[in-house]
Amino acid sequence: MSEAREFLTEHNELTRRFFLRCGVTLAAGSAVAARAAEPLPAELAPVLEKLESYFTEQSKFGDVSRGKPIPHTLPLEKKKEVGLTRETWRLEIISDPENPATLGKQFTKKDNTAIDFATLLKLGEKHAVRFAKVMTCLNIGCPLGMGIWEGVPLRTLVWLTQPKENLRRVFYYGYHNDDPKQMFRSSLPVGRILEDYDDLPPVIVCYKLNGEWLTPERGAPVRILVPEHYGYKSVKWLTHIVLSNLYHANDTYGTQNNDVDSPMKTFAATLHVPGTVKTNTPIPVTGYAQSGISGLSKVQVWVSPSEKKWPADDPYFTTAAWTDATILAPPAKWGGELTADAIPKDTIGFDATGKPKTWPMRLAKAHWAALLPGLPAGEYTFRCRTIDAKGAAQPMPRPFKKSGRCDIEWVKFTVTG
Ligand SMILES: Nc1nc2c(c(=O)[nH]1)N[C@H]1C(S)=C(S)[C@@H](COP(=O)(O)O)O[C@H]1N2
Ligand SMILES: [Mo]
């Protein structure tokens, strides 16, 4: 047994003793202490200060945009011409010619009844909602950004059509250079649009992010935002909503082998793991977790010597000596360029003073930190995982790649003299 491995068999006990011995806590009231329910070891302070902001500035979001040219790169004149500005935007809401829904009314450009931006804002005066949500691409895994999204519930627009029957699916798409091959379409069962089951916020026709108008990259002037889904359901540069009697999904993303009935998963990833550390010196690590549809109860970490073989019949390391990391409390500063750093009034999930009603928030990010005990010299592999609020350890209960990224992340590091 290598020295390192011998050490790690006692890992659990040592971690516990370390925290007791360490006993060093940060000054009460400091920005960092404010982020944890329990005091955190002082060694974590430098890496906690470098954590990313909780909300993401619009311009710092990761961008996933299709099209040749990409619609947000069109010159302003062209944007005006094709309805990609607030002044020229028009939304058609129609029955699907192939699987017609029975509607009392349709909204079309031809009849000059298409919805314009002023009408949408007018509906917003009465119906607008806002909620926090992390934008994640099913295939990229790493969140693109965390925001407070604002708009009118899609059902408000659906009801304007006076639907009677034969309505089972709603699909929608955005501006795609008038080239059918470039169309990026997503869809939802109508029931999800009409009713917010499982305590979800509504699906919205969205025009603001973090209190500001959407930027062209984020889908301006208007995009769909689906709280519980991966990014591909949140179609940008929205131009058409189609009410259909189709009984199944018809998302463009589905034709690319993606599982389009898979809401967001819970998983953890690292932000800071040092590449090289000194022997017997505590190791500060940080990361984030995405709380998916089943919530988040724990983040856990585990270090093992890199040369150690693991039984093939335990691919998810369920029998490893995982220890709990600390999920950080809401941040002292939210970031994301929110005006006065305040949560906009009446944001779903926040109280009247702008405090989150629950923490960690579902369908959002949370940050975590751990101070690993010092180690003897060697090569090590660090892993992190989540336990969701139903008790399932990552990557369960839905481990397949094409239903959303959730592999257990690993990072190697070296401990030397
Ligand atoms: N019209 C349109 N909407 C789109 C896309 C697109 O290519 N075209 N990409 C989708 C995908 S796959 C993702 S992950 C999100 C990314 O949103 P963001 O670019 O605002 O971060 O946008 C979605 N909406
Ligand atoms: Mo995506």
Side-chain angles (χ1 to χ4, degrees), residues 42-361:
E43 286 92 331
L44 280 171
V47 289
L48 289 176
E49 268 149 28
K50 285 193 215 116
L51 267 188
E52 60 181 9
S53 69
Y54 188 78
F55 288 112
T56 313
E57 292 172 23
Q58 287 212 54
S59 62
K60 294 202 174 141
F61 265 66
D63 183 39
V64 181
S65 294
R66 292 161 184 78
K68 266 196 185 130
I70 296 173
H72 67 65
T73 64
L74 293 170
L76 184 61
E77 275 315 303
K78 182 74 183 172
K79 281 194 178 111
K80 282 185 185 159
E81 183 194 317
V82 301
L84 285 180
T85 64
R86 291 194 292 279
E87 295 71 29
T88 60
W89 180 74
R90 296 288 182 281
L91 175 67
E92 297 203 80
I93 315 178
I94 56 171
S95 170
D96 177 7
E98 284 165 33
N99 298 279
T102 312
L103 308 179
K105 243 174 141 173
Q106 302 192 49
F107 296 84
T108 62
K109 284 191 193 167
K110 185 167 61 72
D111 298 345
N112 210 20
T113 52
I115 308 284
D116 63 14
F117 198 76
T119 306
L120 185 65
L121 287 193
K122 190 84 197 138
L123 291 168
E125 283 172 19
K126 183 151 178 227
H127 301 282
V129 296
R130 41 198 84 76
F131 54 83
K133 173 215 170 39
V134 59
M135 180 65 68
T136 303
C137 177
L138 181 149
N139 278 306
I140 298 176
C142 161
L144 301 163
M146 179 69 210
I148 294 178
W149 308 85
E150 175 174 336
V152 175
L154 175 52
R155 61 174 157 270
T156 305
L157 295 172
V158 169
W159 284 124
L160 292 179
T161 66
Q162 301 163 1
K164 306 280 185 298
E165 57 189 345
N166 302 319
L167 176 54
R168 289 185 280 180
R169 198 91 192 165
V170 174
F171 60 86
Y172 43 90
Y173 54 89
Y175 179 69
H176 51 281
N177 299 312
D178 299 316
D179 173 4
K181 286 206 253 8
Q182 294 191 29
M183 184 194 284
F184 186 76
R185 182 179 60 218
S186 290
S187 76
L188 289 167
V190 71
R192 168 60 186 104
I193 294 164
L194 300 183
E195 185 174 0
D196 302 326
Y197 43 73
D198 195 22
D199 280 336
L200 291 167
V203 175
I204 60 171
V205 179
C206 167
Y207 42 80
K208 277 189 177 179
L209 170 54
N210 295 343
E212 302 294 330
W213 300 125
L214 285 179
T215 60
E217 289 80 1
R218 301 284 71 71
V222 177
R223 77 186 294 175
I224 293 285
L225 224 287
V226 186
E228 72 275 26
H229 273 290
Y230 286 102
Y232 69 91
K233 292 275 190 196
S234 296
V235 162
K236 300 195 274 194
W237 318 301
L238 182 70
T239 58
H240 287 79
I241 293 173
V242 186
L243 309 190
S244 175
N245 199 27
L246 194 72
Y247 60 88
H248 54 78
N250 61 349
D251 303 42
T252 306
Y253 220 54
T255 63
Q256 296 150 15
N257 194 29
N258 296 302
D259 180 346
V260 294
D261 290 315
S262 172
M264 290 207 297
K265 298 180 183 180
T266 299
F267 76 93
T270 57
L271 287 170
H272 172 85
V273 181
T276 315
V277 285
K278 283 213 164 66
T279 50
N280 304 316
T281 308
I283 307 156
V285 292
T286 61
Y288 65 85
Q290 170 172 294
S291 173
I293 194 77
S294 287
L296 171 67
S297 70
K298 275 181 182 187
V299 173
Q300 297 188 315
V301 296
W302 169 49
V303 176
S304 85
S306 294
E307 90 267 0
K308 188 175 153 66
K309 293 267 179 300
W310 196 256
D313 64 357
D314 185 22
Y316 305 147
F317 310 102
T318 59
T319 57
W322 295 97
T323 58
D324 293 353
T326 302
I327 294 174
L328 304 186
K333 255 190 118 283
W334 290 108
E337 295 181 312
L338 287 172
T339 306
D341 201 57
I343 301 295
K345 198 169 159 288
D346 296 329
T347 299
I348 294 173
F350 292 80
D351 69 15
T353 68
K355 286 209 181 67
K357 290 181 180 164
T358 58
W359 195 265
M361 296 188 292

